[in-house]
Amino acid sequence: MKPLHDSTTPPGTPDDEGATGPRTAGAASGAASSAGAAAPVIDVRGLRFRYPGAETDALGGLDLSVESAEFVAVVGANGSGKSTLARLLGGLETPAGAMRAVACGHDLLTDDGRMAARREVGVLFQNPENQLVAECVEDDVAFGLENLAWAPERMRARVDEMLARFGLTGLRDREPHLLSGGQKQRTALAGVLAVPRRVLVLDEPTAMLDPAGRGEVLEAVAALRRDGLAVVFVTQEMDEVVGADRVVALERGAVVYAGDVPGLFEDVGLVRRLGLGLPAAGELALELAALGRPLEPLPLTLDALVAALGASG
Amino acid sequence: MKASIAQYYPGDSIVHRLDARAKFVAVATLAVALFVRDSFAGLAVFASAGVVAYGLSGVPVAWFWRAFRPLLWLIGLTFLTQLLFAPGEPFFSWWIFDFSWEGLQFAAFLSLRLLVLVLIGSVLTLTTAPLALTDGLAWLGRPLRRLRVPTDELALMVTIALRFIPTLLVELDQIMRAQRARGAEFGSGGPIRRAKALVPVLTPLFVLSFRRADELALAMEARCYQPGIVRTRLHPLRAGMPDAVLLAVTAAIVVAGLLV
Amino acid sequence: MSAASSDGRAVSSRSAPGIAAGMSVRCDGIGFSYAEAHTPIPALRSVTFELAAGRSLALLGPSGSGKSTLLQVIKGLDTPEAGTVALDGLRPDAPGYDAARREVGLVFQTPELQLFATSAREDVAFGPRRLGRPEEEVQAAVEEAMELVGLPPEVFGGRHPYALSGGEQRRLALAGVLAMRPRLLLLDEPFVSLDPATRRELVRILVRLRSGGVTLVLATHDVDLAWALCDDLLVLDGGRVVASGPWDAGEAGRALRAAGRLREPFLVELWRRLGRDAAAAPPRTAAEAAEALR
């Protein structure tokens, strides 16, 4: 199967004359910059953002760098700025300023750069209901390609590929309101990735799903990761973080931790402060720590907890 | 709850496979002819055309009936008002109403005409996916772009509206139930009280819809949508020989209907 | 059985302020199907169970198993095609049944979607006003309910519901139901799409209600939170009861879980792995577990 981020097909190349305009230059430069494999796909220094009318910055000078094929988790409580970050990385908001803000070689500080970034950085949002535009699954998967004016035959092939990949082939004609939450979110994911992407940003994609739907989405994301797509996974649930290459913790718009996953769990105080959702083993370990029996690193699975209790007891 | 207003019956009949634009033009032409011609003979010609088209569509009668039933009272109402208020020599009077043969004939003609119109229109909506219909209308409306009417954007808006109607109906039902659980009552009392009772339902529904519009716009931008761009379609409109035949046959029916 | 007076107002001495004493509920052979346009989907088939006053019931089962429908039938928003719902020992034809039904509170999934008034206080007051209670009683109920969910009325009362955070909205919506002083509280997936901090806060509120004596029915996917909060278990699958009864970790509990194809609660499994299950019943909460393990 063709990788999702196949750079042999320049992303978003229009097949029809009409859709080109000035943005073609951006897409072309994106394809060129992907040749330089060493450059990180996301490279942000001192990124600031403030919502209109707000008194404080939603993001105040944030640094983030993501290599290609890297899986980076972004955690933080509500209002920590993680959703804002997701939108900025996708070229969907205008930064207030930054020393450097580059996504897939496109400068997020310029209008053209953001437009170009939208073609290579895919963003999946939290509410599956409010992302589906079309009247049936396959039309929704095609929406991004229609906007990029792909020729119908090529679009057909790509849509079929995405449907198969996300297990949606049998649901292709289904109307969105007849889908389960997990199916909706998989449809949205297929639609985001139908446009060839180099980075996928997920903004709490499982927060509104039941356990079955959550499992479906996490499984799909795990498969993407195996294929080497760079993933920025924004979440509040700790067990979704465990397998990440790196984790970045935000608090009030600033990075308070950036490093490997075990490192975050070593700081029990920080984990508590971030208000993260811990798996049951972690919750119990925090309670134990409060009673004077800290288990470090924080166990997150039943096995780890049993082992830690055995070792320390 | 029944959450679909579209009466589209998915299928693969010859009528289904015809191009949405050709079908729309054919139906519009027949509708105009239907209103120009005022004789039972003409009506019979157009009615047979409608029946044949419906027969070719393969849509089950039960399905057609489900879509058609709500319109029945409209036809019935037309019949009654015409019957009661049409001028003519009365053969029977009751209270303020006069019944005349002319009135009866006129009422029968008008309601039959409406019936045929509904039949012909239904063949279009029963065999054409709403999306294809919207696309077809957008294409036919293209000349309006010169007048700066954003036909493609309008078509997309209609598509999105159609997609969200079932969702909205479910949400409406949920909110009404939730407010009923808090003691709200709907449909009792005078009109003002009834309108007031709807505030706890419509307010959340509006708020929900505004939030949805925001999130949807963002999700569309994230998938590279911009107003004014030229889009391609996964299911492009394709007109061919059968569509030309349809238009030719339609022309023949119109001529026949007007001349009989 | 129930410590409430006949007019439905709580008089129980052990109730916390604003919490009414519980009511029993018994479902007998409930059958219900959605009137779908083409294919009627059987939503409930012969559902029978009993829940004593003041106890809490975990209603578990996969999506589409009929959990929400059962809650709506108990509240009386849907009329069952077969069977009866007895409240407080009263059958539907008994005098006083309607009054009992008004004391059933139903918190819908994502209840913040129903907030509509221009201030938090007004929104919470909607329910008790609709019950026709005198205004001073309404105001007292509003204050107690807001206090109970951790939204002090002097701070939050005047705020616009839509200006609150998602977690605050969820708690405000809960207050809107609690202000009606329900003696049976039905909750439909109360933890869905909540951030972890609000989830914990909500658990604390439910613990408070439970110890105040309210009868609780909790439809949820979260087995661990259900274990922490519920005495009894009812598992639905395809609209049928596949397991029901007291929820303990012993033999009965295991059989129930096998029938219901449920993952075991984490703490039950932990206790077994640690070999402690023979000596003592597994703890219900992480705090209890930590106390035992310290």
Side-chain angles (χ1 to χ4, degrees):
Chain A
M1 183 175 291
K2 226 165 58 172
L4 287 160
H5 53 293
D6 191 351
S7 54
T8 55
T9 345
T13 305
D15 290 87
D16 280 14
E17 55 294 344
T20 52
R23 287 183 305 283
T24 317
S29 77
S33 70
S34 66
V41 285
I42 300 284
D43 184 11
V44 163
R45 289 280 168 276
L47 181 64
R48 286 186 296 107
F49 183 80
R50 179 177 293 201
Y51 284 98
E55 283 170 15
T56 53
D57 286 343
L59 287 181
L62 180 133
D63 299 347
L64 178 70
S65 150
V66 179
E67 306 292 326
S68 62
E70 210 183 4
F71 188 101
V72 177
V74 175
V75 299
N78 281 344
S80 61
K82 27 184 219 320
S83 290
T84 309
L85 177 64
R87 293 176 183 197
L88 284 164
L89 295 181
L92 299 167
E93 299 274 10
T94 309
M99 282 178 275
R100 189 162 69 242
V102 180
C104 299
H106 308 296
D107 187 356
L108 296 174
L109 298 171
T110 67
D111 288 343
D112 288 350
R114 282 192 300 280
M115 287 303 163
R118 285 183 193 178
R119 297 183 173 201
E120 296 194 68
V121 182
V123 186
L124 183 72
F125 298 95
Q126 187 182 102
N127 190 336
E129 187 68 58
N130 295 353
Q131 297 182 68
L132 303 182
V133 186
E135 283 189 318
C136 70
V137 167
E138 71 168 9
D139 282 323
D140 197 83
V141 173
F143 181 72
L145 302 175
E146 292 179 334
N147 293 332
L148 294 172
W150 279 38
E153 297 72 29
R154 191 167 160 232
M155 181 151 43
R156 181 78 262 170
R158 180 70 179 174
V159 168
D160 288 345
E161 185 192 332
M162 287 295 124
L163 292 171
R165 189 180 180 106
F166 292 96
L168 298 165
T169 306
L171 300 171
R172 65 192 324 151
D173 295 321
R174 190 72 62 90
E175 295 170 31
H177 68 101
L178 299 175
L179 299 174
S180 73
Q183 290 168 342
K184 279 181 198 164
Q185 198 64 314
R186 277 190 288 143
T187 302
L189 186 58
V192 167
L193 291 173
V195 177
R197 306 289 191 178
R198 294 174 62 200
V199 183
L200 174 64
V201 179
L202 302 136
D203 187 4
E204 302 199 51
T206 65
M208 301 182 79
L209 303 179
D210 64 17
R214 186 168 176 235
E216 286 171 35
V217 170
L218 292 179
E219 207 172 289
V221 172
L224 295 172
R225 186 186 180 188
R226 284 196 294 277
D227 291 338
L229 185 70
V231 175
V232 177
F233 196 114
V234 173
T235 179
Q236 295 204 62
E237 300 299 337
M238 219 43 164
D239 51 355
E240 294 178 354
V241 170
V242 173
D245 295 319
R246 265 183 323 120
V247 57
V248 173
L250 299 185
E251 210 170 22
R252 276 177 246 104
V255 174
V256 290
Y257 177 87
D260 61 5
V261 179
L264 176 65
F265 294 140
E266 273 167 29
D267 191 343
V268 171
L270 176 65
V271 169
R272 196 178 261 288
R273 229 173 61 224
L274 290 170
L276 300 173
L278 289 173
E283 288 283 353
L284 177 51
L286 281 191
E287 294 284 349
L288 271 172
L291 293 176
R293 188 180 174 187
L295 302 172
E296 284 175 348
L298 201 64
L300 292 177
T301 62
L302 179 65
D303 290 336
L305 179 65
V306 171
L309 283 169
S312 79
Chain B
M1 70 182 292
K2 181 183 162 291
S4 177
I5 57 144
Q7 17 169 320
Y8 173 58
Y9 180 84
D12 197 32
S13 75
I14 178 151
V15 189
H16 281 83
R17 275 176 279 143
L18 287 166
D19 187 274
R21 293 164 294 185
K23 279 191 271 189
F24 184 83
V25 169
V27 167
T29 315
L30 285 172
V32 170
L34 196 57
F35 275 87
V36 169
R37 181 69 175 157
D38 51 1
S39 83
F40 279 102
L43 211 55
V45 171
F46 298 128
S48 345
V51 169
V52 169
Y54 171 73
L56 289 174
S57 75
V59 175
V61 175
W63 188 285
F64 173 74
W65 178 245
R66 191 173 65 90
F68 175 73
R69 204 172 38 189
L71 294 166
L72 211 56
W73 68 266
L74 186 74
I75 294 171
L77 197 73
T78 310
F79 182 80
L80 272 182
T81 43
Q82 293 306 327
L83 180 63
L84 297 179
F85 299 113
E89 196 61 33
F91 65 90
F92 175 69
S93 288
W94 174 70
W95 195 29
I96 55 165
F97 302 115
D98 296 327
F99 295 85
S100 66
W101 286 118
E102 291 89 340
L104 189 63
Q105 210 173 45
F106 193 55
F109 178 77
L110 279 189
S111 12
L112 277 176
R113 179 193 262 175
L114 205 55
L115 196 73
V116 175
L117 182 69
V118 168
L119 174 66
I120 292 174
S122 296
V123 174
L124 174 68
T125 53
L126 285 168
T127 64
T128 317
L131 196 70
L133 197 57
T134 321
D135 280 352
L137 285 174
W139 188 90
L140 291 168
R142 270 188 187 177
L144 294 172
R145 290 189 82 84
R146 295 184 182 221
L147 304 172
R148 296 188 175 274
V149 178
T151 47
D152 288 349
E153 282 77 7
L154 285 172
L156 185 63
M157 273 173 56
V158 171
T159 308
I160 292 173
L162 284 173
R163 176 252 177 276
F164 279 105
I165 283 172
T167 311
L168 260 159
L169 288 178
V170 170
E171 282 166 354
L172 177 69
D173 178 61
Q174 282 297 302
I175 294 172
M176 282 181 79
R177 281 166 175 270
Q179 306 298 29
R180 269 170 58 206
R182 292 169 75 187
E185 279 165 34
F186 306 105
S188 64
I192 292 178
R193 215 173 128 191
R194 281 184 193 213
K196 255 180 97 175
L198 284 178
V199 171
V201 173
L202 295 183
T203 314
L205 204 61
F206 278 131
V207 172
L208 206 59
S209 302
F210 280 124
R211 190 196 306 158
R212 162 162 308 135
D214 264 359
E215 292 186 14
L216 198 60
L218 199 68
M220 287 167 68
E221 279 179 3
R223 286 199 271 162
C224 311
Y225 179 76
Q226 279 179 284
I229 54 170
V230 173
R231 309 176 64 227
T232 51
R233 306 310 315 270
L234 179 63
H235 302 286
L237 297 164
R238 285 209 174 90
M241 205 42 164
D243 302 297
V245 172
L246 169 69
L247 294 179
V249 170
T250 306
I253 293 168
V254 167
V255 170
L258 294 179
L259 293 183
V260 288
Chain C
M1 194 187 79
S2 152
S5 66
S6 58
D7 69 356
R9 291 270 288 111
V11 292
S12 164
S13 55
R14 74 182 178 124
S15 291
I19 304 180
M23 153 199 308
S24 71
V25 56
R26 198 181 76 236
C27 287
D28 263 317
I30 300 290
F32 183 84
S33 51
Y34 281 110
E36 203 72 21
H38 310 295
T39 48
I41 304 164
L44 293 176
R45 297 179 204 172
S46 183
V47 171
T48 299
F49 74 94
E50 186 166 9
L51 182 64
R55 282 182 77 84
S56 53
L57 174 77
L59 183 50
L60 305 174
S63 297
S65 58
K67 302 192 295 289
S68 299
T69 314
L70 181 56
L71 296 186
Q72 309 221 5
V73 166
I74 295 174
K75 172 64 191 166
L77 292 175
D78 280 318
T79 311
E81 287 154 9
T84 54
V85 178
L87 297 171
D88 231 357
L90 300 171
R91 291 178 52 83
D93 46 10
Y97 186 78
D98 284 345
R101 191 142 79 184
R102 280 194 289 274
E103 294 179 309
V104 178
L106 172 53
V107 180
F108 278 70
Q109 193 167 339
T110 55
E112 56 273 18
L113 299 184
Q114 306 135 28
L115 300 173
F116 70 94
T118 49
S119 77
R121 185 183 280 274
E122 284 302 296
D123 209 290
V124 176
F126 178 74
R129 275 201 193 125
R130 297 291 318 173
L131 291 180
R133 300 213 168 124
E135 188 60 23
E136 59 269 36
E137 212 175 286
V138 169
Q139 288 307 325
V142 168
E143 307 236 326
E144 280 164 0
M146 291 189 71
E147 209 66 68
L148 205 58
V149 301
L151 300 172
E154 61 278 11
V155 181
F156 289 91
R159 300 231 190 127
H160 200 291
Y162 300 138
L164 301 177
S165 76
E168 288 163 349
Q169 287 188 355
R170 175 74 54 97
R171 285 185 281 150
L172 184 69
L174 176 60
V177 176
L178 292 180
M180 298 166 79
R181 308 229 176 153
R183 295 171 52 216
L184 168 62
L185 185 62
L186 315 169
L187 297 126
D188 193 357
E189 297 287 357
F191 306 110
V192 159
S193 58
L194 277 189
D195 63 289
T198 311
R199 204 156 57 210
R200 286 191 203 107
E201 175 62 23
L202 186 56
V203 170
R204 277 195 286 274
I205 295 168
L206 294 179
V207 166
R208 224 174 300 154
L209 288 168
R210 182 176 168 229
S211 56
V214 175
T215 312
L216 286 179
V217 178
L218 181 67
T220 182
H221 280 109
D222 196 317
V223 179
D224 289 323
L225 290 180
W227 170 251
L229 288 163
C230 298
D231 312 307
D232 293 359
L233 179 69
L234 182 72
V235 184
L236 292 182
D237 195 3
R240 291 182 197 280
V241 175
V242 291
S244 88
W247 193 6
D248 54 52
E251 207 49 55
R254 254 190 291 281
L256 292 181
R257 286 186 298 278
R261 288 179 282 125
L262 282 178
R263 175 175 75 76
E264 290 206 276
F266 173 82
L267 293 174
V268 174
E269 213 173 320
L270 176 67
W271 243 232
R272 186 169 320 122
R273 287 280 295 273
L274 294 175
R276 284 166 165 263
D277 56 330
R284 291 279 175 168
T285 65
E288 282 173 34
E291 197 60 48
L293 289 171
R294 66 187 297 181

